[in-house]
Amino acid sequence: MAAETLVLKPTQAPETDLILPALEALARAAAGDAPTAAAVVTEQAALVLDCEVALIVSPATGGDAVQIAGAWPDDAGCEAPPHAPRGLGEHLAGLGMASWRRLPLQVESHPPLALVVASRGEQPCAQMHLLEAFARSGAVALAAAEPAGAWPASVDVRDLERMRAVSQLIFGVSHSLANVFGGILGNLYFLREAVEQPRSRELLDRVTRSVRQGIELVGPLEAFAARPMEAGMGPVDLSELAAEVVALVSAICEPWPQCAGLELRAPPSSRAELPEPCPAWGDSRRLSLALIRVIGNAIEAVHGAGRVVVETETDGTFSRLRVIDDGPGMDEEAARRATEPFFTTAPETHQGLGLAAARAVAVAHRGSLKIARGPAGGTAVTLQIPANPPVDASAGAAPSGPAAIEH
């Protein structure tokens, strides 16, 4: 019989302040590859729905057997070749789950997929009333994600030896950290099984959350090291990119009552209405991820019930993506420190990496990120990106000083 899988259960109710970061995480996952998207969907399902096991499954050949495309926690998807796939009920019983529910996901151009949530208790998850909304948002993320290996790294790049050396160092350090974190996480699971006092388990859960945050931080380092920024550069129309990102975020947010009062606008998406092209030279995927982070920050600023507008403009030298919200705005200190890694005004639900990560993308493009007061008293965040490829492709990125702040 399979050993029980001990998992970290969220300690906070999924109110708006918890749901909105989860929706941003789904949007960022949608801009990635399918395996990553499946992993994020299951992790966020466990957090938002408060279940002990979350799976993304598809039918396998024969009987009621399933193939597991994503699992939270990671070892809940332990069935893998050469072992024959097991039936879903048998697999969950082996994990010690007493109740579960399987909800089909409407994902176009994919094999049939389903979200499975399970628990040792009488209900599959503590927040059953959120299950259908989450499944709809998760399906949008899975449908938008690219197949694994969809981003070729072969591009005409020059003089990248120094970047390769730095990348190798970053990759080695981040990979070693990932192994260290993984060992700590595994031992925490065993330690939690050995203790019975609620207070001790609560403290272990906090440590486990911190370790998982460390693992999440290591991932982008490895991704950066594996693929230099120049490798993905090319012509990008920021107007089209903004329209696509806003359509994606809107589709993910649409099922949720917490976003019922949200007005999210972008440049018109139809060819007949599309404004003048807004050309830029960059990595469209990384720019999309940066824009998703800025939009997510704006949606949280208005608490899911306000106006967020995305604008684009170009002067021929630089092109700009501007996100304006009508929230309460930032005070001077918050605006000054907003792009500092780990600075956040909501430490319970945020790591403080959204604007810092967006700014890092802008700087890597030889651009900048600027924060200003919005016309309606909220905040305007502008990503400025060169409109044309650099004359010297081997030149380094722009200096990484503090974000510019306008008043």
Side-chain angles (χ1 to χ4, degrees):
M1 182 175 178
E4 282 194 349
T5 302
L6 295 175
V7 302
L8 169 65
K9 295 188 67 175
T11 58
Q12 184 175 2
E15 303 295 339
T16 302
D17 288 345
L18 181 59
I19 289 174
L20 295 181
L23 298 183
E24 183 199 333
L26 292 180
R28 285 189 279 116
D33 63 9
T36 300
V40 172
V41 168
T42 53
E43 181 178 22
Q44 294 302 319
L47 179 66
V48 172
L49 303 176
D50 194 359
C51 59
E52 296 183 84
V53 167
L55 306 173
I56 300 294
V57 301
S58 60
T61 55
D64 65 344
V66 294
Q67 293 179 334
I68 298 174
W72 194 93
D74 296 338
D75 53 359
C78 56
E79 286 299 315
H83 303 292
R86 294 193 296 180
L88 180 59
E90 181 184 359
H91 178 73
L92 292 171
L95 296 175
M97 300 296 106
S99 59
W100 55 277
R101 183 174 175 185
R102 175 176 178 169
L103 197 66
L105 299 175
Q106 304 299 321
V107 182
E108 296 181 2
S109 304
H110 280 67
L113 293 175
L115 172 66
V116 177
V117 292
S119 174
R120 291 181 177 83
E122 296 180 357
Q123 289 195 110
C125 61
Q127 305 294 336
M128 290 292 293
H129 63 291
L130 301 178
L131 180 56
E132 291 190 12
F134 184 89
R136 290 172 60 190
S137 294
V140 172
L142 292 170
E146 296 286 347
W151 308 302
S154 57
V155 179
D156 182 16
V157 294
R158 298 177 291 164
D159 196 19
L160 294 178
E161 292 304 318
R162 185 174 67 86
M163 179 173 285
R164 291 194 184 99
V166 174
S167 294
Q168 289 174 358
L169 175 62
I170 294 174
F171 185 84
V173 172
S174 60
H175 186 70
S176 298
L177 285 174
N179 289 335
V180 171
F181 281 137
I184 294 172
L185 192 62
N187 283 292
L188 283 171
Y189 285 139
F190 287 119
L191 182 58
R192 193 180 189 281
E193 187 178 23
V195 301
E196 297 181 357
Q197 296 84 356
R199 177 58 177 167
S200 298
R201 289 198 166 199
E202 180 184 347
L203 293 174
L204 287 172
D205 286 349
R206 291 183 183 178
V207 176
T208 303
R209 277 200 300 276
S210 298
V211 173
R212 294 190 70 86
Q213 289 175 351
I215 293 173
E216 183 179 344
L217 295 178
V218 167
L221 285 177
E222 290 191 273
F224 169 82
R227 183 170 177 249
M229 177 63 77
E230 280 85 345
M233 293 291 192
V236 181
D237 185 338
L238 295 186
S239 294
E240 289 190 16
L241 183 145
E244 291 171 359
V245 167
V246 167
L248 170 65
V249 175
S250 296
I252 288 176
C253 292
E254 189 273 333
W256 295 89
Q258 289 83 353
C259 297
L262 176 66
E263 180 186 355
L264 181 57
R265 294 175 51 193
S269 57
S270 71
R271 289 290 178 182
E273 300 175 351
L274 198 66
E276 289 296 320
C278 187
W281 183 260
D283 183 321
S284 60
R285 176 172 171 261
R286 284 189 168 105
L287 289 173
S288 294
L289 288 168
L291 181 57
I292 287 170
R293 286 187 179 275
V294 177
I295 291 175
N297 202 68
I299 291 175
E300 292 185 55
V302 300
H303 299 288
R307 190 180 187 200
V308 177
V309 179
V310 183
E311 299 177 346
T312 58
E313 65 179 19
T314 184
D315 59 16
T317 302
F318 285 97
S319 294
R320 299 169 188 88
L321 283 163
R322 182 174 295 111
V323 179
I324 306 169
D325 67 67
D326 62 358
M330 301 183 188
D331 60 33
E332 186 172 348
E333 181 183 4
R336 179 176 57 83
R337 301 187 59 194
T339 59
E340 291 182 13
F342 307 109
F343 174 77
T344 175
T345 57
E348 298 83 5
T349 56
H350 296 77
Q351 295 179 11
L353 293 173
L355 293 180
R359 176 180 168 275
V361 171
V363 169
H365 280 76
R366 301 180 177 87
S368 63
L369 183 147
K370 297 182 179 180
I371 300 173
R373 291 192 179 96
T379 302
V381 178
T382 302
L383 290 166
Q384 179 170 276
I385 307 297
N388 304 294
V391 175
D392 180 5
S394 65
S400 55
I405 302 171
E406 298 177 352
H407 298 283

